[in-house]
Amino acid sequence: MNKQTISDIDVSGKKVFVRVDFNTPLSSKDPQADITVTDDTRIRAALPTLNYLLDHGAALILASHLGRPKTADDVQFAMKPVARKLEEVIGRPVQYIPAVMNDKVKQAAADLRPGDILLLENTRFHPGEKKNDPQLAADFAALADVYVDDAFGSAHRPDASVDGAARAMRAKGGPAVAGFLMNAEISALSAAVENPPRPYVAIMGGAKISDKIKLIENLLDKADKILIGGGMANTFLKAQGHNMGRSLVEEDALPEAKRLLGLAADRLILPVDVVTATEVSAGAPSEVEMVWALSPDKMALDIGPATLERFNAELQGAQLVVWNGPMGVFEVEQFAHGTNQLAQMLAEMVDHGAQVIIGGGDSAAAVRAAGLTDKMTHVSTGGGASLELLEGKELPGVAVLDGK
Ligand code: ADP
Ligand code: MG
């Protein structure tokens, strides 16, 4: 990566503002309940950066958004459970202040000693965050001597804590650099975008094509083949003239699906069979049907065994695989088979020297649920950010950091 990282600068005795991605799932939406963090993957992913900074004599001011709060203080999204979880995984005290910016925050930051950790309130509680308000950005920068962005998952959003704070730090003469997670994400994903080893096979799934038309187009440009499963395959199959019964089909996206098929029908590989049911629920009777003979009252909810075999054949010899989007409704065990089998196949390919990169929030969750995260070359922690990078876009949160 052509950006400076924390290992390029001196942080000893410095106060470091770190934009982290602690946007973690929570156990409850009820503000009265004892809310806990149910998956600490993103907190753990920040540890290399946080521990490096602490070990090198820095004091930390941490900021993150959490969920999508509707009002300025939607307490169900307060950072308190995150502070507790961070204390547990980092094994040090964490001072949490239930405010994004006020005199208490400024005083607490001024009082920090090397090794101390201060966690601010959910940045989205402040109306200036989403507006990239220059005053809030300057206030963030004023808390510290150094700005670090380790929030890859937020790098596609030019918010005050992501974009403005980095600019404000530079304006006052301090460095604005990437953390280790940010660096690892950018390096792994841009290798696939810029200089892919071949053969390069992309795999796309998930619910909708409409979210991912640009991504499919960019991948058609870069990859040798694209295997398509999940709900988005239904729209392509319908565009080819198949009757998809009651499956999720995006009627509005049919013209786009036809256009993409017209660009490269021979390189877009679609399912030949699917697992169908009349209901998306555990225990609903399901069967395997060929895509050209789907029952009119059924929904396609997973890819079938013949499709898995076809995909396996297409993957043979691939040197790079990029996968985004589950092959079925993986949240329901009965329809998770295609996704799990594919994850298993890809893990074996890594054992044989292929590079396998997973992007997308649900895809990463599916790989994690299958217990295969550590088997893959790279599983991105950033949902939307990883997709935008794979689309070939420059991320504002990366562009703003100091170059080498
Ligand atoms: P990612 O977060 O990895 O980018 P998406 O958000 O695009 O993935 O898609 C994930 C969603 O797609 C899951 O909630 C899953 O249930 C849904 N999905 C996958 N296949 C189907 C299908 N055949 N019918 C309906 N929904 C599907
Ligand atoms: Mg998703």
Side-chain angles (χ1 to χ4, degrees):
M1 188 172 77
N2 60 352
K3 295 290 177 180
Q4 292 196 42
T5 73
I6 46 177
S7 48
D8 296 320
I9 60 167
D10 176 24
V11 299
S12 165
K14 304 269 170 72
K15 286 176 185 155
V16 181
F17 181 96
V18 190
R19 178 49 161 102
V20 283
D21 178 7
F22 287 169
N23 184 24
T24 54
L26 300 173
S27 61
S28 167
K29 292 191 157 88
D30 174 6
Q32 304 304 322
D34 182 27
I35 302 178
T36 55
V37 168
T38 54
D39 180 346
D40 61 10
T41 306
R42 283 183 161 168
I43 296 177
R44 289 184 186 280
L47 288 182
T49 292
L50 304 185
N51 283 327
Y52 175 93
L53 292 169
L54 293 166
D55 291 347
H56 286 77
L60 307 183
I61 299 140
L62 308 182
S64 175
H65 79 280
L66 177 59
R68 295 172 189 267
K70 286 187 197 70
T71 61
D73 53 356
D74 196 350
V75 285
Q76 65 175 9
F77 295 115
M79 294 297 277
K80 190 172 172 193
V82 173
R84 271 188 290 165
K85 182 54 91 177
L86 174 61
E87 253 181 357
E88 186 189 313
V89 304
I90 205 166
R92 292 176 185 249
V94 172
Q95 185 189 353
Y96 157 64
I97 299 203
V100 180
M101 188 54 64
N102 62 14
D103 287 344
K104 267 196 188 151
V105 168
K106 291 175 190 173
Q107 191 57 52
D111 292 343
L112 289 176
R113 313 280 312 148
D116 288 350
I117 306 173
L118 174 65
L119 176 66
L120 307 185
E121 187 51 281
N122 188 343
T123 52
R124 287 191 183 167
F125 282 12
H126 196 292
E129 169 73 340
K130 293 302 296 175
K131 292 185 191 138
N132 199 1
D133 172 35
Q135 184 59 54
L136 177 60
D139 287 345
F140 281 144
L143 300 177
D145 312 301
V146 174
Y147 174 88
V148 172
D149 193 351
D150 212 24
F152 176 70
S154 299
H156 57 316
R157 310 228 182 269
D159 298 343
S161 65
V162 173
D163 177 78
R167 291 177 197 278
M169 182 58 74
R170 188 167 312 114
K172 64 172 237 189
V177 303
F180 293 139
L181 173 63
M182 178 70 99
N183 186 46
E185 290 274 12
I186 302 291
S187 302
L189 295 165
S190 46
V193 176
E194 282 153 21
N195 211 350
R198 295 187 184 279
Y200 169 12
V201 179
I203 309 172
M204 297 283 303
K208 296 184 182 171
I209 312 192
S210 53
D211 295 342
K212 296 180 179 173
I213 288 169
K214 263 203 236 110
L215 178 57
I216 299 172
E217 252 183 308
N218 193 50
L219 289 174
L220 269 175
D221 218 33
K222 299 270 157 69
D224 298 297
K225 269 175 212 153
I226 307 186
L227 316 182
I228 300 205
M232 76 157 63
N234 300 337
T235 304
F236 279 109
L237 289 165
K238 177 133 190 195
Q240 281 189 331
H242 295 296
N243 183 341
M244 296 311 293
R246 290 173 45 241
S247 305
L248 173 73
V249 169
E250 283 179 284
E251 298 289 339
D252 291 353
L254 285 172
E256 281 292 339
K258 283 188 185 139
R259 185 176 66 81
L260 293 170
L261 285 165
L263 286 177
D266 55 327
R267 294 192 296 124
L268 280 172
I269 316 292
L270 296 173
V272 289
D273 63 347
V274 284
V275 179
T276 64
T278 52
E279 270 177 77
V280 192
S281 65
S286 64
E287 59 180 321
V288 174
E289 294 185 277
M290 302 313 284
V291 295
W292 49 85
L294 203 92
S295 315
D297 61 330
K298 294 281 180 63
M299 288 180 275
L301 298 171
D302 194 7
I303 55 173
T307 302
L308 273 166
E309 227 167 88
R310 172 85 201 271
F311 284 7
N312 192 24
E314 295 288 352
L315 285 164
Q316 289 314 308
Q319 292 302 299
L320 173 65
V321 180
V322 170
W323 178 19
N324 166 260
M327 295 291 101
V329 182
F330 75 102
E331 297 92 337
V332 181
E333 202 190 322
Q334 203 175 347
F335 309 114
H337 185 72
T339 301
N340 289 338
Q341 285 294 109
L342 182 66
Q344 198 67 51
M345 263 180 223
L346 297 181
E348 279 162 30
M349 291 180 66
V350 176
D351 285 341
H352 293 100
Q355 290 182 48
V356 175
I357 296 173
I358 319 281
D362 290 292
S363 313
V367 170
R368 197 154 54 241
L372 294 171
T373 301
D374 294 340
K375 292 287 239 164
M376 305 299 178
T377 312
H378 184 75
V379 181
S380 179
T381 55
S386 62
L387 300 190
E388 290 200 12
L389 213 123
L390 291 169
E391 276 172 20
K393 287 191 195 151
E394 183 171 49
L395 305 178
V398 178
V400 74
L401 300 176
D402 295 346
K404 282 233 197 252

